Amino acid sequence: MVEQLRLHVADLSHLLPELTLVAAAIILSLLDLSLPKSVSRKVIGWLALVGVIVSGVFVVLQLNPAEPIQLMNQSYRVDDFGNILKLILLTGTGFVIFMSLGSVKEDDIPHIGEYYYFLLPAVLGGMVMASSGDLITLFVGLELLSITSYLLVAMKKHHHQSNEGAFKYIVMGGISSALILYGMSFLYGISGSTNLMQIAGSLSGTIGSYQPLVYMAFFLLIAGFGFKIAAAPFHSWAPDVYQGAPTPVSAFLAVVSKAAGFAILFRVFYVLFAFSAFENSSIQKDVFLTLEVMAAIAMIAGNAIALKQTNMKRLLAYSGIANAGYLIVPLSTYFGLVHTSNFSEFIFYLIAYLFMNIGAFAVLMIIERSAGHTELNGYAGLYYRAPFTAVAMVLIVLSLAGIPVSGGFFGKLYILLGTMETHKYWLGAVMIISSVVSFYYYFGVIRQMFMRSDYESAQVKVSIPLGITAWLCALIGLALGFMPQLVLKGIEHIFSLAGDLLVR
């Protein structure tokens, strides 16, 4: 067993994406200490972006392996489930770094160098979560992401809201981590192992004896992970944290942190409850019914509370809560004879979600720099002050709202069709109604830009990285709407259910 858990030198080649981020973070921290501030501020951000790109290249080179690579007795797996999610995590982080270049000021973040290289271990934690096949490696990745996220939220250390948000985040994050550990302890106690496949195998002979403990483990895990993905009713931290954190950090939490949480949700719950001794059992039905109810609550609560928001960061936080509900839907409608495209539906919408949210936060940073705040009225008359930025925001909002033809529309449509295939008609109805409700607050942003002429406001200055980010995200969201089948077929070509979700 000790030999199986040992990591050999030859295995390091499979960990090049992760090792690249580790090396980049160490090098950047040393450069930040040795270079003058005037130089380090300009250099470190670009070098951090290079590190993320190089890591992404190594992930691309590992796509479609002949067989999933198992390290340390399946504690860490290099498979296409993890590779696809790693590319999403790295893409989100790359955009966050890029749109921060020249936009993040020392008045807001006193230590800009730290901000850039803290993003690297944060995304590294998410990548470890995506490839974990063991509860221990899962928790290590989770805490690496969580601790660095706490520090990133508190970067605006001279701002009261940032300190308040960071305090709430660390307290609630600590509670959620405790819940996850407690749930894991039940699984370990029942099975005698922390390996997901071994846990699933050992449960086959102990269902009757330990059924209450299995339920307890599930509900503790879903509560802990529900916090990490900001899904109602575990969402209370999100609006305050998003509002207090630096805007690019809010974007990181909304996209990268949420995607990492979903990665492990998919891996853990499908291995333990979809393809195990629980198949077609009352436990399996209750687990996925709970996920369905959680998705419905998130969609309803997120969209309903967003209706009254006047701060754009809080509005995007509640929008993210509703989108967490949409992303849980394909997770809750598990694989069956009539529905096998859960993962591709989930990934397609996650990709669309990434670009429309990164784009929305990029435009918000432009407004924040010109208006000095993140209130919704900062968008007033944007079309007359920065027409190209306003047009990009319109395309982004159309995707967020799910208007044809956009990536957000087809993402929701595929999830809805999958829901109907599995006869979850009530859940499909919640999706439709909540999406219609969201039109009101999304189009409120457009109304501000076009119908609230505010010629007295200061001229809007758009930095090159922010402008490029906004337009890239807008155009990619539009492209996803014009060729959704191409993306779906690409995902299905890469992803293998038998090899990539630990089901064999």
Side-chain angles (χ1 to χ4, degrees):
M1 178 63 71
V2 174
E3 181 64 25
Q4 287 179 327
L5 292 175
R6 188 172 297 162
L7 188 66
H8 299 282
V9 175
D11 297 331
L12 297 180
S13 62
H14 304 305
L15 298 175
L16 283 176
E18 292 82 357
L19 293 175
T20 298
L21 295 178
V22 173
I26 294 172
I27 292 170
L28 292 181
S29 63
L30 294 175
L31 286 176
D32 188 40
L33 290 172
S34 58
L35 292 176
K37 280 189 177 182
S38 58
V39 177
S40 64
R41 285 197 300 266
K42 299 176 182 178
V43 172
I44 289 179
W46 285 105
L47 291 178
L49 182 59
V50 170
V52 169
I53 292 172
V54 172
S55 179
V57 170
F58 284 131
V59 174
V60 171
L61 294 176
Q62 292 181 347
L63 285 173
N64 266 336
E67 291 288 335
I69 297 161
Q70 303 172 9
L71 305 176
M72 298 180 293
N73 194 29
Q74 293 195 28
S75 293
Y76 200 82
R77 288 174 56 92
V78 180
D79 54 27
D80 284 327
F81 172 86
N83 287 334
I84 292 172
L85 283 155
K86 286 176 187 178
L87 286 176
I88 292 174
L89 297 174
L90 289 168
T91 301
T93 306
F95 270 105
V96 169
I97 293 173
F98 180 68
M99 70 184 190
S100 301
L101 297 172
S103 302
V104 175
K105 301 299 181 183
E106 200 166 328
D107 294 339
D108 288 330
I109 301 178
H111 305 289
I112 296 178
E114 291 181 1
Y115 159 75
Y116 284 117
Y117 58 75
F118 276 178
L119 288 169
L120 301 183
V123 70
L124 173 63
M127 292 169 67
V128 171
M129 291 168 66
S131 283
S132 292
D134 189 278
L135 297 180
I136 295 175
T137 53
L138 183 162
F139 192 75
V140 169
L142 177 67
E143 286 305 289
L144 180 58
L145 172 61
S146 298
I147 292 170
T148 46
S149 296
Y150 303 151
L151 295 172
L152 287 166
V153 171
M155 279 288 174
K156 294 169 65 175
K157 60 182 183 180
H158 300 307
H159 293 247
H160 171 72
Q161 281 187 333
S162 181
N163 294 329
E164 179 185 349
F167 179 76
K168 290 180 179 179
Y169 194 25
I170 194 170
V171 170
M172 297 295 291
I175 293 171
S176 70
S177 295
L179 292 174
I180 291 170
L181 272 179
Y182 197 25
M184 289 177 176
S185 70
F186 281 110
L187 293 177
Y188 176 74
I190 295 169
S191 64
S193 174
T194 58
N195 184 277
L196 291 177
M197 284 302 294
Q198 292 178 15
I199 293 172
S202 65
L203 289 176
S204 60
T206 58
I207 292 179
S209 304
Y210 297 106
Q211 185 165 316
L213 296 181
V214 174
Y215 274 110
M216 181 67 73
F218 164 71
F219 284 114
L220 288 168
L221 289 175
I222 196 61
F225 290 130
F227 169 89
K228 301 300 181 184
I229 61 174
F234 311 104
H235 66 282
S236 59
W237 62 273
D240 291 334
V241 172
Y242 281 34
Q243 187 175 8
T247 302
V249 174
S250 300
F252 181 87
L253 296 177
V255 175
V256 179
S257 183
K258 191 183 295 286
F262 272 105
I264 205 61
L265 266 176
F266 226 107
R267 177 90 78 180
V268 170
F269 289 135
Y270 271 69
V271 171
L272 297 184
F273 300 107
F275 305 106
S276 66
F278 299 118
E279 193 166 2
N280 298 319
S281 67
S282 60
I283 293 179
Q284 185 190 67
K285 293 175 183 177
D286 292 340
V287 164
F288 288 99
L289 176 60
T290 302
L291 291 173
E292 292 167 22
V293 172
M294 186 175 172
I297 293 172
M299 288 185 284
I300 294 169
N303 284 313
I305 303 174
L307 293 173
K308 294 185 177 182
Q309 300 306 311
T310 59
N311 182 280
M312 193 61 183
K313 276 190 176 182
R314 298 183 73 87
L315 188 149
L316 288 172
Y318 285 111
S319 169
I321 292 163
N323 278 291
Y326 298 133
L327 288 165
I328 293 173
V329 172
L331 176 63
S332 65
T333 54
Y334 54 90
F335 290 100
L337 295 176
V338 297
H339 187 225
T340 59
S341 58
N342 311 51
F343 183 74
S344 55
E345 294 165 6
F346 163 75
I347 289 295
F348 183 90
Y349 190 70
L350 186 60
I351 293 170
Y353 173 81
L354 181 154
F355 288 110
M356 57 197 184
N357 272 269
I358 291 290
F361 276 103
V363 176
L364 178 58
M365 288 181 68
I366 294 171
I367 299 299
E368 187 177 17
R369 291 185 67 192
S370 61
H373 58 77
T374 58
E375 295 298 314
L376 192 56
N377 58 22
Y379 289 80
L382 182 62
Y383 175 73
Y384 306 99
R385 297 184 286 146
F388 290 106
T389 303
V391 172
M393 188 61 181
V394 168
L395 296 176
I396 292 165
V397 168
L398 292 179
S399 190
L400 281 166
I403 300 296
V405 179
S406 67
F409 168 76
F410 280 103
K412 290 179 181 178
L413 178 64
Y414 290 135
I415 292 174
L416 179 63
L417 293 176
T419 306
M420 295 305 180
E421 283 181 2
T422 54
H423 307 294
K424 311 291 185 183
Y425 301 118
W426 71 273
L427 191 57
V430 172
M431 275 194 71
I432 295 170
I433 295 170
S434 62
S435 295
V436 172
V437 169
S438 71
F439 291 172
Y440 179 83
Y441 62 83
Y442 285 134
F443 283 100
V445 180
I446 297 178
R447 186 169 62 249
Q448 286 284 344
M449 293 190 298
F450 288 87
M451 302 177 69
R452 298 288 187 269
S453 300
D454 189 1
Y455 295 106
E456 297 180 359
S457 295
Q459 195 68 24
V460 175
K461 294 182 180 180
V462 182
S463 68
I464 293 175
L466 285 176
I468 292 174
T469 300
W471 268 103
L472 267 179
C473 291
L475 292 176
I476 292 172
L478 193 62
L480 288 172
F482 278 100
M483 49 183 182
Q485 280 297 323
L486 184 64
V487 179
L488 278 176
K489 288 179 181 178
I491 296 168
E492 291 171 356
H493 174 72
I494 295 172
F495 175 73
S496 165
L497 172 62
D500 294 325
L501 260 184
L502 289 174
V503 295
R504 66 174 183 174

mmCIF file of all heavy atoms in Angstrom, residues 28 34 86 102 104 106 119-120 126 176 184 194 199-200 227 283 289 302 336 359 362 378 406 409 412 441 452 477 493:
data_model
loop_
_atom_site.group_PDB
_atom_site.id
_atom_site.type_symbol
_atom_site.label_atom_id
_atom_site.label_comp_id
_atom_site.label_asym_id
_atom_site.label_seq_id
_atom_site.Cartn_x
_atom_site.Cartn_y
_atom_site.Cartn_z
ATOM 1 N N LEU A 28 7.326 34.127 -8.853
ATOM 2 C CA LEU A 28 6.720 35.460 -8.782
ATOM 3 C C LEU A 28 6.809 36.048 -7.378
ATOM 4 O O LEU A 28 6.987 37.258 -7.217
ATOM 5 C CB LEU A 28 5.268 35.400 -9.242
ATOM 6 C CG LEU A 28 5.047 35.089 -10.727
ATOM 7 C CD1 LEU A 28 3.565 35.078 -11.061
ATOM 8 C CD2 LEU A 28 5.782 36.083 -11.606
ATOM 9 N N SER A 34 12.152 41.026 -4.598
ATOM 10 C CA SER A 34 13.455 41.545 -5.020
ATOM 11 C C SER A 34 13.375 42.739 -5.966
ATOM 12 O O SER A 34 14.259 43.600 -5.933
ATOM 13 C CB SER A 34 14.263 40.426 -5.693
ATOM 14 O OG SER A 34 13.540 39.903 -6.800
ATOM 15 N N LYS A 86 -10.242 21.561 -15.838
ATOM 16 C CA LYS A 86 -9.018 22.343 -15.630
ATOM 17 C C LYS A 86 -8.894 23.450 -16.671
ATOM 18 O O LYS A 86 -8.488 24.573 -16.349
ATOM 19 C CB LYS A 86 -7.797 21.426 -15.699
ATOM 20 C CG LYS A 86 -7.608 20.537 -14.477
ATOM 21 C CD LYS A 86 -6.425 19.601 -14.683
ATOM 22 C CE LYS A 86 -6.305 18.593 -13.556
ATOM 23 N NZ LYS A 86 -5.187 17.648 -13.775
ATOM 24 N N GLY A 102 -3.217 46.739 -15.467
ATOM 25 C CA GLY A 102 -3.405 48.162 -15.651
ATOM 26 C C GLY A 102 -4.685 48.700 -15.061
ATOM 27 O O GLY A 102 -4.899 49.920 -15.049
ATOM 28 N N VAL A 104 -6.128 47.291 -11.931
ATOM 29 C CA VAL A 104 -6.055 47.181 -10.468
ATOM 30 C C VAL A 104 -5.074 48.229 -9.957
ATOM 31 O O VAL A 104 -3.906 48.252 -10.358
ATOM 32 C CB VAL A 104 -5.614 45.767 -10.057
ATOM 33 C CG1 VAL A 104 -5.414 45.696 -8.555
ATOM 34 C CG2 VAL A 104 -6.631 44.744 -10.512
ATOM 35 N N GLU A 106 -3.122 50.566 -6.853
ATOM 36 C CA GLU A 106 -2.539 50.383 -5.523
ATOM 37 C C GLU A 106 -3.399 51.013 -4.438
ATOM 38 O O GLU A 106 -3.320 50.613 -3.278
ATOM 39 C CB GLU A 106 -1.132 50.976 -5.491
ATOM 40 C CG GLU A 106 -0.277 50.434 -4.366
ATOM 41 C CD GLU A 106 1.188 50.756 -4.545
ATOM 42 O OE1 GLU A 106 1.653 50.832 -5.694
ATOM 43 O OE2 GLU A 106 1.861 50.914 -3.515
ATOM 44 N N LEU A 119 -3.507 34.208 -7.058
ATOM 45 C CA LEU A 119 -4.470 33.576 -7.963
ATOM 46 C C LEU A 119 -3.979 32.209 -8.443
ATOM 47 O O LEU A 119 -4.790 31.324 -8.744
ATOM 48 C CB LEU A 119 -4.744 34.480 -9.172
ATOM 49 C CG LEU A 119 -5.576 35.737 -8.914
ATOM 50 C CD1 LEU A 119 -5.544 36.653 -10.128
ATOM 51 C CD2 LEU A 119 -7.023 35.373 -8.570
ATOM 52 N N LEU A 120 -2.662 32.027 -8.502
ATOM 53 C CA LEU A 120 -2.108 30.764 -9.017
ATOM 54 C C LEU A 120 -2.351 29.586 -8.078
ATOM 55 O O LEU A 120 -2.843 28.539 -8.512
ATOM 56 C CB LEU A 120 -0.621 30.938 -9.326
ATOM 57 C CG LEU A 120 -0.285 32.032 -10.345
ATOM 58 C CD1 LEU A 120 1.216 32.064 -10.621
ATOM 59 C CD2 LEU A 120 -1.057 31.844 -11.633
ATOM 60 N N GLY A 126 -8.288 24.366 -7.239
ATOM 61 C CA GLY A 126 -9.414 23.916 -8.043
ATOM 62 C C GLY A 126 -9.039 22.774 -8.964
ATOM 63 O O GLY A 126 -9.822 21.835 -9.166
ATOM 64 N N SER A 176 -18.339 25.442 6.651
ATOM 65 C CA SER A 176 -18.606 24.513 5.541
ATOM 66 C C SER A 176 -17.527 23.440 5.455
ATOM 67 O O SER A 176 -17.818 22.270 5.183
ATOM 68 C CB SER A 176 -18.708 25.279 4.220
ATOM 69 O OG SER A 176 -17.456 25.785 3.827
ATOM 70 N N MET A 184 -17.213 13.368 5.456
ATOM 71 C CA MET A 184 -16.177 12.433 5.020
ATOM 72 C C MET A 184 -15.854 11.402 6.098
ATOM 73 O O MET A 184 -15.563 10.240 5.812
ATOM 74 C CB MET A 184 -14.907 13.196 4.648
ATOM 75 C CG MET A 184 -15.004 14.008 3.377
ATOM 76 S SD MET A 184 -13.464 14.926 3.096
ATOM 77 C CE MET A 184 -13.819 15.671 1.499
ATOM 78 N N THR A 194 -10.459 6.088 2.212
ATOM 79 C CA THR A 194 -10.763 7.441 1.730
ATOM 80 C C THR A 194 -10.828 7.498 0.209
ATOM 81 O O THR A 194 -11.138 8.540 -0.349
ATOM 82 C CB THR A 194 -9.686 8.436 2.210
ATOM 83 O OG1 THR A 194 -8.406 8.008 1.755
ATOM 84 C CG2 THR A 194 -9.696 8.552 3.731
ATOM 85 N N ILE A 199 -14.630 3.221 -1.458
ATOM 86 C CA ILE A 199 -15.814 3.527 -0.645
ATOM 87 C C ILE A 199 -17.063 3.009 -1.336
ATOM 88 O O ILE A 199 -17.910 2.356 -0.719
ATOM 89 C CB ILE A 199 -15.925 5.045 -0.400
ATOM 90 C CG1 ILE A 199 -14.792 5.542 0.486
ATOM 91 C CG2 ILE A 199 -17.271 5.389 0.251
ATOM 92 C CD1 ILE A 199 -14.726 7.050 0.610
ATOM 93 N N ALA A 200 -17.189 3.302 -2.641
ATOM 94 C CA ALA A 200 -18.362 2.847 -3.387
ATOM 95 C C ALA A 200 -18.460 1.326 -3.387
ATOM 96 O O ALA A 200 -19.551 0.764 -3.246
ATOM 97 C CB ALA A 200 -18.297 3.374 -4.818
ATOM 98 N N PHE A 227 -22.264 25.496 0.049
ATOM 99 C CA PHE A 227 -21.621 26.774 0.360
ATOM 100 C C PHE A 227 -20.583 27.123 -0.693
ATOM 101 O O PHE A 227 -20.505 28.267 -1.161
ATOM 102 C CB PHE A 227 -20.965 26.706 1.735
ATOM 103 C CG PHE A 227 -20.063 27.875 2.034
ATOM 104 C CD1 PHE A 227 -20.559 29.019 2.629
ATOM 105 C CD2 PHE A 227 -18.709 27.833 1.708
ATOM 106 C CE1 PHE A 227 -19.726 30.105 2.895
ATOM 107 C CE2 PHE A 227 -17.866 28.906 1.962
ATOM 108 C CZ PHE A 227 -18.382 30.041 2.562
ATOM 109 N N ILE A 283 -31.971 5.245 -1.416
ATOM 110 C CA ILE A 283 -30.938 6.235 -1.111
ATOM 111 C C ILE A 283 -30.631 7.056 -2.356
ATOM 112 O O ILE A 283 -30.562 8.292 -2.309
ATOM 113 C CB ILE A 283 -29.660 5.558 -0.581
ATOM 114 C CG1 ILE A 283 -29.913 4.925 0.785
ATOM 115 C CG2 ILE A 283 -28.512 6.567 -0.495
ATOM 116 C CD1 ILE A 283 -28.717 4.218 1.378
ATOM 117 N N LEU A 289 -33.214 13.513 -5.598
ATOM 118 C CA LEU A 289 -34.371 14.374 -5.333
ATOM 119 C C LEU A 289 -33.938 15.593 -4.517
ATOM 120 O O LEU A 289 -34.400 16.723 -4.774
ATOM 121 C CB LEU A 289 -35.450 13.598 -4.573
ATOM 122 C CG LEU A 289 -36.682 14.425 -4.153
ATOM 123 C CD1 LEU A 289 -37.389 15.009 -5.382
ATOM 124 C CD2 LEU A 289 -37.638 13.580 -3.314
ATOM 125 N N GLY A 302 -32.479 32.983 -6.036
ATOM 126 C CA GLY A 302 -31.531 33.869 -6.698
ATOM 127 C C GLY A 302 -32.207 34.893 -7.578
ATOM 128 O O GLY A 302 -31.920 36.098 -7.497
ATOM 129 N N GLY A 336 -29.027 7.880 -17.424
ATOM 130 C CA GLY A 336 -29.956 6.771 -17.552
ATOM 131 C C GLY A 336 -30.020 6.321 -18.992
ATOM 132 O O GLY A 336 -29.300 6.816 -19.868
ATOM 133 N N GLY A 359 -17.264 38.660 -18.739
ATOM 134 C CA GLY A 359 -17.562 39.864 -19.509
ATOM 135 C C GLY A 359 -18.327 40.890 -18.703
ATOM 136 O O GLY A 359 -18.034 42.092 -18.759
ATOM 137 N N ALA A 362 -16.000 42.535 -16.321
ATOM 138 C CA ALA A 362 -15.078 43.436 -17.016
ATOM 139 C C ALA A 362 -15.748 44.787 -17.263
ATOM 140 O O ALA A 362 -15.143 45.852 -17.034
ATOM 141 C CB ALA A 362 -14.622 42.813 -18.335
ATOM 142 N N GLY A 378 -24.650 53.645 -12.212
ATOM 143 C CA GLY A 378 -23.394 53.973 -12.880
ATOM 144 C C GLY A 378 -23.425 53.646 -14.362
ATOM 145 O O GLY A 378 -22.621 54.171 -15.140
ATOM 146 N N SER A 406 -27.944 32.950 -28.357
ATOM 147 C CA SER A 406 -26.802 33.209 -27.487
ATOM 148 C C SER A 406 -26.383 31.912 -26.818
ATOM 149 O O SER A 406 -27.139 30.929 -26.790
ATOM 150 C CB SER A 406 -27.170 34.249 -26.420
ATOM 151 O OG SER A 406 -28.141 33.735 -25.519
ATOM 152 N N PHE A 409 -28.696 30.951 -23.951
ATOM 153 C CA PHE A 409 -29.977 30.376 -24.384
ATOM 154 C C PHE A 409 -29.836 28.885 -24.647
ATOM 155 O O PHE A 409 -30.620 28.069 -24.145
ATOM 156 C CB PHE A 409 -30.476 31.093 -25.642
ATOM 157 C CG PHE A 409 -31.625 30.397 -26.316
ATOM 158 C CD1 PHE A 409 -32.909 30.472 -25.792
ATOM 159 C CD2 PHE A 409 -31.424 29.647 -27.469
ATOM 160 C CE1 PHE A 409 -33.968 29.811 -26.401
ATOM 161 C CE2 PHE A 409 -32.469 28.990 -28.087
ATOM 162 C CZ PHE A 409 -33.753 29.083 -27.551
ATOM 163 N N LYS A 412 -29.183 26.769 -21.446
ATOM 164 C CA LYS A 412 -30.398 26.488 -20.688
ATOM 165 C C LYS A 412 -31.318 25.535 -21.453
ATOM 166 O O LYS A 412 -31.980 24.668 -20.857
ATOM 167 C CB LYS A 412 -31.132 27.791 -20.383
ATOM 168 C CG LYS A 412 -30.422 28.674 -19.364
ATOM 169 C CD LYS A 412 -31.171 29.967 -19.110
ATOM 170 C CE LYS A 412 -30.431 30.846 -18.106
ATOM 171 N NZ LYS A 412 -31.095 32.131 -17.878
ATOM 172 N N TYR A 441 -34.562 42.005 -14.281
ATOM 173 C CA TYR A 441 -33.387 42.707 -13.757
ATOM 174 C C TYR A 441 -32.246 42.740 -14.769
ATOM 175 O O TYR A 441 -31.441 43.670 -14.761
ATOM 176 C CB TYR A 441 -32.933 42.134 -12.407
ATOM 177 C CG TYR A 441 -32.498 40.681 -12.392
ATOM 178 C CD1 TYR A 441 -31.215 40.304 -12.752
ATOM 179 C CD2 TYR A 441 -33.374 39.683 -11.951
ATOM 180 C CE1 TYR A 441 -30.808 38.991 -12.697
ATOM 181 C CE2 TYR A 441 -32.971 38.361 -11.897
ATOM 182 C CZ TYR A 441 -31.690 38.014 -12.275
ATOM 183 O OH TYR A 441 -31.282 36.704 -12.219
ATOM 184 N N ARG A 452 -31.540 55.965 -19.865
ATOM 185 C CA ARG A 452 -31.238 56.880 -18.768
ATOM 186 C C ARG A 452 -30.060 57.743 -19.197
ATOM 187 O O ARG A 452 -28.917 57.494 -18.844
ATOM 188 C CB ARG A 452 -30.895 56.116 -17.482
ATOM 189 C CG ARG A 452 -32.021 55.248 -16.964
ATOM 190 C CD ARG A 452 -33.145 56.061 -16.360
ATOM 191 N NE ARG A 452 -34.136 55.202 -15.724
ATOM 192 C CZ ARG A 452 -35.197 54.708 -16.326
ATOM 193 N NH1 ARG A 452 -35.407 54.981 -17.609
ATOM 194 N NH2 ARG A 452 -36.056 53.945 -15.678
ATOM 195 N N GLY A 477 -19.668 34.379 -26.465
ATOM 196 C CA GLY A 477 -21.040 34.035 -26.085
ATOM 197 C C GLY A 477 -21.954 33.984 -27.291
ATOM 198 O O GLY A 477 -22.820 33.100 -27.403
ATOM 199 N N HIS A 493 -16.913 13.994 -27.724
ATOM 200 C CA HIS A 493 -15.801 13.257 -28.333
ATOM 201 C C HIS A 493 -14.658 13.051 -27.334
ATOM 202 O O HIS A 493 -14.014 12.001 -27.317
ATOM 203 C CB HIS A 493 -15.285 14.018 -29.559
ATOM 204 C CG HIS A 493 -14.054 13.413 -30.163
ATOM 205 N ND1 HIS A 493 -14.072 12.221 -30.866
ATOM 206 C CD2 HIS A 493 -12.746 13.839 -30.162
ATOM 207 C CE1 HIS A 493 -12.840 11.939 -31.262
ATOM 208 N NE2 HIS A 493 -12.023 12.895 -30.849
#
